[in-house]
Amino acid sequence: MHYKKLNILLLESSTEDAELALFELNRAGLENDYLIVNNLKDFKEKLFDFLPHVVISDYYLPTCTALDAYELLGDINIPFIIMSGDVGEEKAVEALKSGVADYVSKAHMSRLPLVIERALNEMKAGRHRKSVEHELVQSKERLELALEGTNLGVWDLDFMSNTIVYNKRSLSILGLPQEDAIKEFAYFQGDGVAARDHLKREMQDHIEGKTPMFDQEYPIKKSESGDRKWVLVRGKVIRRAPDGTPLRASGTLLDVTEKKENEEKLAKNKAILENAEAVAQIGSFEWQPLSSRFIYSDGFAEIFEIEKGDYRQSIETLYREKMHTQDQPYFNEILFGGREFYDIEHRVTLTNSETRILRNSGNIKHDEEGKIISIMGIVQDITEQREISKSIFNAQQYERSRMARDIHDGIGQILVGTKFKISSLEADVSAEEFEHKKEEIEDLLASTLEEVRRVSRNMSNRHLEEFGLRKTMEYLVEQVSDAGDFEVSSSIDIPDDYNMDLSSAIYRIAQEATSNIVKYAKASNVSIKVESTNQNIILEVTDDGVGFDTENNWNGIKNMKERTSLQNGHFEISSTVGKGTVIKSWFPLNT
């Protein structure tokens, strides 16, 4: 026993018998403290004050019996031993049935130490058993709560009788009545022969050890209308015979109908998206640089001519290998410039050295330190659109040139002839008055002729063809200086060996920008710069005027942006109300 010293409470009217009992205990080596009482009142008082480990009571007492004292214990779990003379077998059995630990005859008091030790051991074993039972009850309750929280059903399969037991939740999932809680095993009642055959094969593979567990989704009929419900069944064989024959298996059931329906919707939406991307030549992607996660759609893979679903490569490597070298500096500036959204156009060079033009748009998320967390975006192959736009633009330019020639060679010549005819007019007016009228007509016609020539120059590229981009830009600077009440500074640091399309785009953008300044800017200072680098020619027009909201997509802005895009360039405009405007275009050389 684990008790160093026992507290023993004796309920005994005979002092001599009590002392004999204590003598036997001491002789057996049981250290003890004891109290002797001879009535129920004192017994009840000492029971709670002395806190005995064992109670020893005579059966017959002057005012009560041992059973009366035992009833006072109530729920107190301590051994109660009757030590008495001959009370008869009937009363001894009655006492034991009522819960008394044991009975010892006073004629055999030498047995008392063994009886006490056995009673204490049984009490300890009983406490342990109750503790285990309590823990089992709690575990069962926790399991039921966990299963209730996860909506899991439980099943248990006995292979020997080929019966399966379902709990209440399993019956609800399967749509079975309570009387089917125990039924013949039929491979989870899959809907249709094919489903049942599949479940049977998978179960057999697990039984034979080919799979570590049984894990399958299968359909069942949801209602009489034929709707289907999907169930996920999981389990494993938990007991086998020595020869490996399965004896018992258990597992869970889960209603996964909503998950299955969402998967089907997702698959349909994915197919629709893939079709839309294919038609519009669009691809989508997501990049998370901190985790090196880069995923993309099939449309993206087709545009960049890379393997579909091969997410091992990084977006940095992809763009470094595919993006045109002249576009990489601008792309990096846009991507890592702290923006939350970008919408740019750039070129990529494919495996056959073919150059394609892409529109690339995306949302950029940053952490508190400004590092990129993720980029989600789309790319669209606009090469064909650019070719169409360029063809339309070339046709427009041709038509404008033709109209300019018609105006110059037709209207201009007629007005010249008219001027000379009017100059020779004679009339019955005084010479002074006639001369005055003639001068007015001549001045009017001269102004008209100059305006026709100016319009002709604006509509035609003849000036560019005859004098080149540098001279034409210098002439534009002179025109702007004469047209506005502001100071003009310029830097035209370019050669004259550009192709006509590029020269025309640069001149027309500068012309549009300066025309807007003259009309609306109310500026004090204007700067016009055109400079060339190893790879680009850069146009920049700046003023310190009233500024405007660049969100307003004016036609002039659209025209400048479109002309830049047609040359595979990049257009930027920034403006602050009250502080002026900066228009900047980058054009790649040798495209």
Short mmCIF file of all heavy atoms in Angstrom, two decimals, residues 165-207:
data_model
loop_
_atom_site.label_atom_id
_atom_site.label_comp_id
_atom_site.label_asym_id
_atom_site.label_seq_id
_atom_site.Cartn_x
_atom_site.Cartn_y
_atom_site.Cartn_z
N VAL A 165 -22.30 -0.95 -39.89
CA VAL A 165 -23.06 -0.18 -38.91
C VAL A 165 -22.82 1.30 -39.18
O VAL A 165 -21.68 1.76 -39.28
CB VAL A 165 -22.61 -0.53 -37.47
CG1 VAL A 165 -23.40 0.31 -36.45
CG2 VAL A 165 -22.80 -2.01 -37.20
N TYR A 166 -23.93 2.06 -39.31
CA TYR A 166 -23.86 3.50 -39.55
C TYR A 166 -24.34 4.24 -38.30
O TYR A 166 -25.31 3.81 -37.66
CB TYR A 166 -24.76 3.91 -40.72
CG TYR A 166 -24.34 3.37 -42.06
CD1 TYR A 166 -25.16 2.49 -42.76
CD2 TYR A 166 -23.14 3.76 -42.64
CE1 TYR A 166 -24.79 2.01 -44.01
CE2 TYR A 166 -22.77 3.28 -43.89
CZ TYR A 166 -23.59 2.41 -44.56
OH TYR A 166 -23.21 1.94 -45.79
N ASN A 167 -23.67 5.35 -37.99
CA ASN A 167 -24.20 6.19 -36.92
C ASN A 167 -25.30 7.10 -37.49
O ASN A 167 -25.59 7.07 -38.70
CB ASN A 167 -23.10 7.00 -36.22
CG ASN A 167 -22.56 8.13 -37.09
OD1 ASN A 167 -22.78 8.16 -38.30
ND2 ASN A 167 -21.86 9.07 -36.47
N LYS A 168 -25.87 7.95 -36.63
CA LYS A 168 -27.02 8.75 -37.02
C LYS A 168 -26.67 9.71 -38.16
O LYS A 168 -27.45 9.89 -39.11
CB LYS A 168 -27.52 9.54 -35.81
CG LYS A 168 -28.81 10.32 -36.06
CD LYS A 168 -29.28 10.98 -34.78
CE LYS A 168 -30.57 11.76 -35.02
NZ LYS A 168 -31.06 12.43 -33.78
N ARG A 169 -25.48 10.33 -38.09
CA ARG A 169 -25.09 11.28 -39.12
C ARG A 169 -24.89 10.58 -40.46
O ARG A 169 -25.23 11.11 -41.52
CB ARG A 169 -23.80 12.00 -38.69
CG ARG A 169 -23.26 12.99 -39.73
CD ARG A 169 -24.28 14.02 -40.12
NE ARG A 169 -23.80 14.89 -41.19
CZ ARG A 169 -24.58 15.61 -41.98
NH1 ARG A 169 -25.90 15.59 -41.81
NH2 ARG A 169 -24.06 16.36 -42.92
N SER A 170 -24.30 9.37 -40.45
CA SER A 170 -24.11 8.61 -41.68
C SER A 170 -25.44 8.30 -42.34
O SER A 170 -25.59 8.41 -43.57
CB SER A 170 -23.36 7.31 -41.39
OG SER A 170 -22.03 7.57 -41.02
N LEU A 171 -26.42 7.92 -41.53
CA LEU A 171 -27.75 7.63 -42.08
C LEU A 171 -28.34 8.87 -42.74
O LEU A 171 -28.95 8.79 -43.80
CB LEU A 171 -28.68 7.13 -40.98
CG LEU A 171 -28.32 5.77 -40.37
CD1 LEU A 171 -29.22 5.48 -39.18
CD2 LEU A 171 -28.46 4.66 -41.41
N SER A 172 -28.13 10.03 -42.09
CA SER A 172 -28.64 11.28 -42.66
C SER A 172 -27.97 11.60 -43.99
O SER A 172 -28.62 12.01 -44.95
CB SER A 172 -28.41 12.42 -41.66
OG SER A 172 -28.78 13.66 -42.22
N ILE A 173 -26.64 11.41 -44.06
CA ILE A 173 -25.90 11.69 -45.30
C ILE A 173 -26.38 10.78 -46.43
O ILE A 173 -26.59 11.22 -47.56
CB ILE A 173 -24.39 11.51 -45.06
CG1 ILE A 173 -23.87 12.62 -44.14
CG2 ILE A 173 -23.63 11.52 -46.39
CD1 ILE A 173 -22.44 12.42 -43.72
N LEU A 174 -26.56 9.50 -46.12
CA LEU A 174 -26.95 8.53 -47.13
C LEU A 174 -28.45 8.53 -47.41
O LEU A 174 -28.90 7.87 -48.36
CB LEU A 174 -26.52 7.13 -46.70
CG LEU A 174 -25.01 6.91 -46.56
CD1 LEU A 174 -24.72 5.53 -45.97
CD2 LEU A 174 -24.31 7.07 -47.89
N GLY A 175 -29.21 9.25 -46.59
CA GLY A 175 -30.65 9.28 -46.78
C GLY A 175 -31.31 7.96 -46.43
O GLY A 175 -32.30 7.57 -47.06
N LEU A 176 -30.77 7.27 -45.42
CA LEU A 176 -31.30 5.97 -45.02
C LEU A 176 -32.13 6.10 -43.74
O LEU A 176 -31.86 6.96 -42.91
CB LEU A 176 -30.16 4.98 -44.76
CG LEU A 176 -29.26 4.65 -45.96
CD1 LEU A 176 -28.11 3.77 -45.54
CD2 LEU A 176 -30.07 4.01 -47.08
N PRO A 177 -33.14 5.26 -43.56
CA PRO A 177 -33.95 5.29 -42.33
C PRO A 177 -33.17 4.69 -41.16
O PRO A 177 -32.16 4.01 -41.33
CB PRO A 177 -35.17 4.44 -42.69
CG PRO A 177 -34.67 3.51 -43.75
CD PRO A 177 -33.65 4.27 -44.53
N GLN A 178 -33.67 4.90 -39.94
CA GLN A 178 -33.00 4.44 -38.73
C GLN A 178 -32.87 2.92 -38.71
O GLN A 178 -31.89 2.38 -38.18
CB GLN A 178 -33.77 4.92 -37.50
CG GLN A 178 -33.11 4.58 -36.17
CD GLN A 178 -31.75 5.21 -36.01
OE1 GLN A 178 -31.57 6.37 -36.37
NE2 GLN A 178 -30.78 4.46 -35.50
N GLU A 179 -33.83 2.23 -39.31
CA GLU A 179 -33.77 0.76 -39.29
C GLU A 179 -32.62 0.21 -40.13
O GLU A 179 -32.29 -0.98 -40.05
CB GLU A 179 -35.09 0.14 -39.75
CG GLU A 179 -35.60 0.65 -41.08
CD GLU A 179 -36.58 1.79 -40.92
OE1 GLU A 179 -36.49 2.53 -39.91
OE2 GLU A 179 -37.44 1.95 -41.81
N ASP A 180 -32.01 1.06 -40.95
CA ASP A 180 -30.86 0.62 -41.75
C ASP A 180 -29.53 0.94 -41.08
O ASP A 180 -28.47 0.93 -41.74
CB ASP A 180 -30.89 1.28 -43.14
CG ASP A 180 -31.92 0.65 -44.06
OD1 ASP A 180 -32.35 -0.47 -43.76
OD2 ASP A 180 -32.29 1.28 -45.06
N ALA A 181 -29.57 1.22 -39.76
CA ALA A 181 -28.33 1.52 -39.04
C ALA A 181 -27.37 0.32 -39.11
O ALA A 181 -26.15 0.48 -39.09
CB ALA A 181 -28.62 1.88 -37.59
N ILE A 182 -27.93 -0.89 -39.15
CA ILE A 182 -27.14 -2.10 -39.34
C ILE A 182 -27.71 -2.82 -40.56
O ILE A 182 -28.88 -3.19 -40.57
CB ILE A 182 -27.19 -3.02 -38.11
CG1 ILE A 182 -26.69 -2.28 -36.87
CG2 ILE A 182 -26.37 -4.28 -38.35
CD1 ILE A 182 -26.81 -3.09 -35.59
N LYS A 183 -26.90 -2.99 -41.58
CA LYS A 183 -27.43 -3.63 -42.79
C LYS A 183 -26.32 -4.37 -43.51
O LYS A 183 -25.13 -4.25 -43.19
CB LYS A 183 -28.06 -2.59 -43.71
CG LYS A 183 -27.10 -1.55 -44.25
CD LYS A 183 -27.82 -0.52 -45.09
CE LYS A 183 -28.55 -1.13 -46.25
NZ LYS A 183 -29.23 -0.16 -47.11
N GLU A 184 -26.69 -5.13 -44.50
CA GLU A 184 -25.72 -5.88 -45.29
C GLU A 184 -24.85 -4.90 -46.09
O GLU A 184 -25.35 -3.95 -46.68
CB GLU A 184 -26.45 -6.83 -46.24
CG GLU A 184 -25.49 -7.70 -47.07
CD GLU A 184 -26.24 -8.64 -48.00
OE1 GLU A 184 -27.49 -8.65 -47.94
OE2 GLU A 184 -25.58 -9.33 -48.78
N PHE A 185 -23.55 -5.17 -46.09
CA PHE A 185 -22.62 -4.27 -46.76
C PHE A 185 -22.77 -4.41 -48.27
O PHE A 185 -22.66 -5.50 -48.82
CB PHE A 185 -21.19 -4.60 -46.34
CG PHE A 185 -20.16 -3.73 -46.99
CD1 PHE A 185 -20.25 -2.35 -46.90
CD2 PHE A 185 -19.11 -4.28 -47.70
CE1 PHE A 185 -19.30 -1.54 -47.49
CE2 PHE A 185 -18.16 -3.48 -48.30
CZ PHE A 185 -18.26 -2.10 -48.19
N ALA A 186 -23.01 -3.26 -48.96
CA ALA A 186 -23.17 -3.26 -50.41
C ALA A 186 -22.33 -2.15 -51.03
O ALA A 186 -22.76 -1.44 -51.93
CB ALA A 186 -24.65 -3.08 -50.78
N TYR A 187 -21.12 -1.98 -50.50
CA TYR A 187 -20.17 -1.00 -51.04
C TYR A 187 -20.74 0.40 -51.10
O TYR A 187 -20.67 1.10 -52.09
CB TYR A 187 -19.64 -1.48 -52.39
CG TYR A 187 -18.84 -2.74 -52.26
CD1 TYR A 187 -19.45 -3.98 -52.48
CD2 TYR A 187 -17.53 -2.70 -51.85
CE1 TYR A 187 -18.73 -5.15 -52.30
CE2 TYR A 187 -16.81 -3.88 -51.67
CZ TYR A 187 -17.41 -5.10 -51.89
OH TYR A 187 -16.71 -6.25 -51.70
N PHE A 188 -21.36 0.81 -49.96
CA PHE A 188 -21.80 2.18 -49.72
C PHE A 188 -22.89 2.65 -50.68
O PHE A 188 -23.09 3.83 -50.86
CB PHE A 188 -20.61 3.13 -49.77
CG PHE A 188 -19.54 2.77 -48.77
CD1 PHE A 188 -18.39 2.14 -49.16
CD2 PHE A 188 -19.73 3.06 -47.42
CE1 PHE A 188 -17.41 1.79 -48.23
CE2 PHE A 188 -18.77 2.72 -46.49
CZ PHE A 188 -17.60 2.08 -46.90
N GLN A 189 -23.61 1.72 -51.30
CA GLN A 189 -24.82 2.05 -52.07
C GLN A 189 -24.58 3.14 -53.11
O GLN A 189 -25.33 4.10 -53.22
CB GLN A 189 -25.96 2.46 -51.13
CG GLN A 189 -26.52 1.33 -50.29
CD GLN A 189 -25.61 0.94 -49.14
OE1 GLN A 189 -25.04 1.81 -48.50
NE2 GLN A 189 -25.46 -0.33 -48.88
N GLY A 190 -23.50 3.03 -53.87
CA GLY A 190 -23.25 4.00 -54.94
C GLY A 190 -24.37 3.98 -55.96
O GLY A 190 -25.01 2.96 -56.20
N ASP A 191 -24.64 5.14 -56.58
CA ASP A 191 -25.72 5.28 -57.55
C ASP A 191 -25.27 4.73 -58.89
O ASP A 191 -24.45 5.33 -59.58
CB ASP A 191 -26.12 6.75 -57.67
CG ASP A 191 -27.29 6.92 -58.64
OD1 ASP A 191 -28.03 5.95 -58.86
OD2 ASP A 191 -27.44 8.04 -59.18
N GLY A 192 -25.79 3.59 -59.26
CA GLY A 192 -25.47 2.99 -60.54
C GLY A 192 -24.45 1.87 -60.43
O GLY A 192 -23.64 1.81 -59.50
N VAL A 193 -24.49 0.98 -61.40
CA VAL A 193 -23.61 -0.19 -61.39
C VAL A 193 -22.15 0.24 -61.50
O VAL A 193 -21.28 -0.29 -60.81
CB VAL A 193 -23.97 -1.13 -62.57
CG1 VAL A 193 -23.00 -2.30 -62.64
CG2 VAL A 193 -25.41 -1.64 -62.41
N ALA A 194 -21.87 1.23 -62.34
CA ALA A 194 -20.49 1.66 -62.54
C ALA A 194 -19.88 2.19 -61.25
O ALA A 194 -18.74 1.88 -60.91
CB ALA A 194 -20.43 2.74 -63.63
N ALA A 195 -20.67 3.00 -60.50
CA ALA A 195 -20.16 3.55 -59.24
C ALA A 195 -19.91 2.44 -58.23
O ALA A 195 -18.87 2.43 -57.56
CB ALA A 195 -21.16 4.57 -58.68
N ARG A 196 -20.83 1.48 -58.13
CA ARG A 196 -20.64 0.39 -57.17
C ARG A 196 -19.46 -0.49 -57.55
O ARG A 196 -18.68 -0.93 -56.69
CB ARG A 196 -21.93 -0.44 -57.06
CG ARG A 196 -23.03 0.28 -56.30
CD ARG A 196 -24.18 -0.65 -55.97
NE ARG A 196 -24.94 -1.02 -57.16
CZ ARG A 196 -25.97 -0.33 -57.62
NH1 ARG A 196 -26.35 0.77 -57.00
NH2 ARG A 196 -26.63 -0.73 -58.70
N ASP A 197 -19.29 -0.76 -58.84
CA ASP A 197 -18.15 -1.57 -59.28
C ASP A 197 -16.83 -0.86 -58.98
O ASP A 197 -15.85 -1.48 -58.57
CB ASP A 197 -18.26 -1.86 -60.78
CG ASP A 197 -19.35 -2.87 -61.09
OD1 ASP A 197 -19.83 -3.53 -60.15
OD2 ASP A 197 -19.73 -2.99 -62.28
N HIS A 198 -16.81 0.47 -59.18
CA HIS A 198 -15.59 1.24 -58.90
C HIS A 198 -15.26 1.18 -57.41
O HIS A 198 -14.09 0.95 -57.03
CB HIS A 198 -15.78 2.69 -59.34
CG HIS A 198 -14.62 3.57 -58.99
ND1 HIS A 198 -13.41 3.51 -59.66
CD2 HIS A 198 -14.48 4.53 -58.03
CE1 HIS A 198 -12.58 4.38 -59.13
NE2 HIS A 198 -13.21 5.01 -58.15
N LEU A 199 -16.26 1.38 -56.55
CA LEU A 199 -16.03 1.33 -55.11
C LEU A 199 -15.56 -0.06 -54.68
O LEU A 199 -14.68 -0.19 -53.82
CB LEU A 199 -17.32 1.68 -54.37
CG LEU A 199 -17.76 3.15 -54.45
CD1 LEU A 199 -19.17 3.31 -53.92
CD2 LEU A 199 -16.81 4.04 -53.67
N LYS A 200 -16.12 -1.10 -55.30
CA LYS A 200 -15.72 -2.46 -54.96
C LYS A 200 -14.26 -2.71 -55.33
O LYS A 200 -13.50 -3.31 -54.55
CB LYS A 200 -16.64 -3.45 -55.70
CG LYS A 200 -16.44 -4.90 -55.29
CD LYS A 200 -17.50 -5.77 -55.95
CE LYS A 200 -17.35 -7.23 -55.50
NZ LYS A 200 -18.40 -8.10 -56.12
N ARG A 201 -13.84 -2.22 -56.52
CA ARG A 201 -12.44 -2.41 -56.93
C ARG A 201 -11.49 -1.66 -56.01
O ARG A 201 -10.44 -2.17 -55.61
CB ARG A 201 -12.26 -1.92 -58.37
CG ARG A 201 -12.84 -2.83 -59.43
CD ARG A 201 -12.33 -2.44 -60.82
NE ARG A 201 -12.60 -1.05 -61.15
CZ ARG A 201 -13.73 -0.64 -61.73
NH1 ARG A 201 -14.67 -1.52 -62.05
NH2 ARG A 201 -13.90 0.64 -62.01
N GLU A 202 -11.86 -0.43 -55.64
CA GLU A 202 -10.99 0.36 -54.77
C GLU A 202 -10.89 -0.26 -53.38
O GLU A 202 -9.82 -0.26 -52.77
CB GLU A 202 -11.52 1.80 -54.68
CG GLU A 202 -11.47 2.57 -55.98
CD GLU A 202 -10.05 2.75 -56.49
OE1 GLU A 202 -9.13 2.90 -55.66
OE2 GLU A 202 -9.85 2.73 -57.72
N MET A 203 -12.01 -0.77 -52.86
CA MET A 203 -11.98 -1.44 -51.56
C MET A 203 -11.12 -2.69 -51.62
O MET A 203 -10.33 -2.97 -50.71
CB MET A 203 -13.40 -1.78 -51.10
CG MET A 203 -13.46 -2.60 -49.82
SD MET A 203 -12.85 -1.71 -48.37
CE MET A 203 -14.32 -0.79 -47.91
N GLN A 204 -11.22 -3.44 -52.70
CA GLN A 204 -10.43 -4.65 -52.85
C GLN A 204 -8.93 -4.32 -52.92
O GLN A 204 -8.10 -5.03 -52.34
CB GLN A 204 -10.86 -5.41 -54.12
CG GLN A 204 -10.28 -6.82 -54.23
CD GLN A 204 -10.70 -7.71 -53.08
OE1 GLN A 204 -11.83 -7.64 -52.60
NE2 GLN A 204 -9.77 -8.55 -52.62
N ASP A 205 -8.59 -3.22 -53.60
CA ASP A 205 -7.18 -2.80 -53.66
C ASP A 205 -6.65 -2.49 -52.27
O ASP A 205 -5.51 -2.81 -51.93
CB ASP A 205 -7.04 -1.57 -54.56
CG ASP A 205 -7.15 -1.91 -56.03
OD1 ASP A 205 -7.06 -3.12 -56.37
OD2 ASP A 205 -7.32 -0.98 -56.86
N HIS A 206 -7.48 -1.86 -51.44
CA HIS A 206 -7.04 -1.55 -50.07
C HIS A 206 -6.91 -2.82 -49.24
O HIS A 206 -5.94 -2.99 -48.48
CB HIS A 206 -8.03 -0.59 -49.41
CG HIS A 206 -7.76 -0.37 -47.95
ND1 HIS A 206 -6.58 0.16 -47.49
CD2 HIS A 206 -8.52 -0.65 -46.85
CE1 HIS A 206 -6.61 0.22 -46.17
NE2 HIS A 206 -7.78 -0.26 -45.77
N ILE A 207 -7.87 -3.72 -49.40
CA ILE A 207 -7.80 -4.99 -48.66
C ILE A 207 -6.52 -5.74 -49.00
O ILE A 207 -5.87 -6.34 -48.13
CB ILE A 207 -9.05 -5.84 -48.95
CG1 ILE A 207 -10.29 -5.18 -48.33
CG2 ILE A 207 -8.87 -7.26 -48.44
CD1 ILE A 207 -11.59 -5.84 -48.72
#
